[in-house]
Amino acid sequence: KAATSSGPSFALICLQRPAWATFIGHFSGNYLWYFLITWLPSYLVKERGFTMAEMAYVSALAFCVTGVTTIITGTLADRAIAAGATPTKVRKFCVVTGLSLATSIVTVTMVHDAFASMACLMFACVAYGIFASSHWAIPQTIAGPLAAGKWTGLQNCLANFAGIAAPAITGLAVEKTGHFFWAFAVCCVLLGYCGAQAVDASRFGIPLVWVARLATLYYFGFFWLLMPIIGLIETPKKLPASIAQSVFGDKAATPAE
């Protein structure tokens, strides 16, 4: 009885396909979130020519739009459920619609007019807000009272590895191409592809669930095994003054005219 009351183990949760569906969906959403946090300021200043003050206002507005949308959508979803709508359908609609529309983030770099570009950005933030309003409710509903704590804790842990992947992939794309288009495109593809896959989907005979598991194993292995070893054998470079300087070099230190 004691074992039963404590709920399933983490290992047992990881064997459930629905768990990996929520992990991957949350990771995809977080990729956009960390992408905006770490690279939106540099994009606005370096590619759109905004001043630091303008960048601050636009960035703040983007996050405010996301937050307000989340509150409004969550309230409407709760009212729909209270009125008799099926909770699963309501939550899935919010998550799928939000992630799908969030792929519009790629249009930010495809529009020449700055105002139109920022309108596309705000639309993508609205879409993310729709997704964020319900993505936590789904695992809690699937897991049930005994497993909800471990399930959501593990989901949050794995999903936040997007905070490592998004800045690194974006920085590499900007460094190699000199522009932000491919960084936005990678974000778009990840949101649209991973967020839309069925839990039993496979490619080339390989279940995507196992791809996600191997990727998770790599992430943990990188931090627990590779990083300590690399830290012992490599000579680190001098830290740059900022993230922007590491990508743009001396241009990052030049004030906007």
Side-chain angles (χ1 to χ4, degrees):
K1 293 183 179 179
T4 303
S5 62
S6 65
S9 65
F10 285 111
L12 183 59
I13 293 174
C14 288
L15 293 176
Q16 309 305 311
R17 287 187 174 184
W20 286 96
T22 61
F23 297 165
I24 295 173
H26 194 175
F27 180 93
S28 301
N30 272 8
Y31 190 98
L32 172 60
W33 182 249
Y34 285 112
F35 171 73
L36 294 176
I37 290 175
T38 56
W39 281 100
L40 180 60
S42 292
Y43 170 75
L44 295 177
V45 173
K46 296 299 179 180
E47 193 144 326
R48 286 295 174 180
F50 285 17
T51 64
M52 294 298 290
E54 291 171 336
M55 176 273 293
Y57 283 121
V58 172
S59 297
L61 179 61
F63 294 117
C64 286
V65 166
T66 301
V68 171
T69 303
T70 300
I71 295 173
I72 293 175
T73 307
T75 301
L76 294 176
D78 288 342
R79 290 184 177 180
I81 294 172
T86 305
T88 302
K89 291 183 178 180
V90 172
R91 301 306 182 188
K92 283 184 177 180
F93 175 80
C94 291
V95 169
V96 173
T97 301
L99 276 181
S100 298
L101 294 179
T103 60
S104 63
I105 189 73
V106 73
T107 61
V108 172
T109 62
M110 300 172 67
V111 179
H112 293 292
D113 180 71
F115 180 82
S117 176
M118 293 306 98
C120 294
L121 173 64
M122 297 307 158
F123 180 81
C125 289
V126 168
Y128 181 80
I130 295 173
F131 158 78
S133 68
S134 292
H135 79 280
W136 277 119
I138 292 177
Q140 293 178 52
T141 301
I142 298 175
L146 292 179
K150 290 181 179 179
W151 185 311
T152 56
L154 183 60
Q155 175 179 320
N156 198 36
C157 171
L158 299 181
N160 277 289
F161 279 107
I164 301 167
I169 294 174
T170 302
L172 180 63
V174 174
E175 181 180 17
K176 296 299 183 182
T177 65
H179 297 283
F180 281 81
F181 172 80
W182 286 110
F184 279 82
V186 168
C187 185
C188 170
V189 171
L190 184 63
L191 285 167
Y193 184 77
C194 292
Q197 298 307 301
V199 296
D200 58 350
S202 63
R203 294 293 180 271
F204 305 106
I206 302 174
L208 292 184
V209 168
W210 282 105
V211 174
R213 290 173 180 172
L214 290 174
T216 303
L217 179 63
Y218 169 77
Y219 278 132
F220 280 113
F222 181 83
F223 288 102
W224 293 345
L225 297 176
L226 294 181
M227 282 193 69
I229 295 174
I230 292 174
L232 294 175
I233 62 177
E234 77 170 0
T235 302
K237 296 181 180 179
K238 183 179 179 182
L239 291 175
S242 66
I243 295 177
Q245 184 178 352
S246 68
V247 177
F248 297 104
D250 295 336
K251 295 181 181 180
T254 304
E257 296 181 357

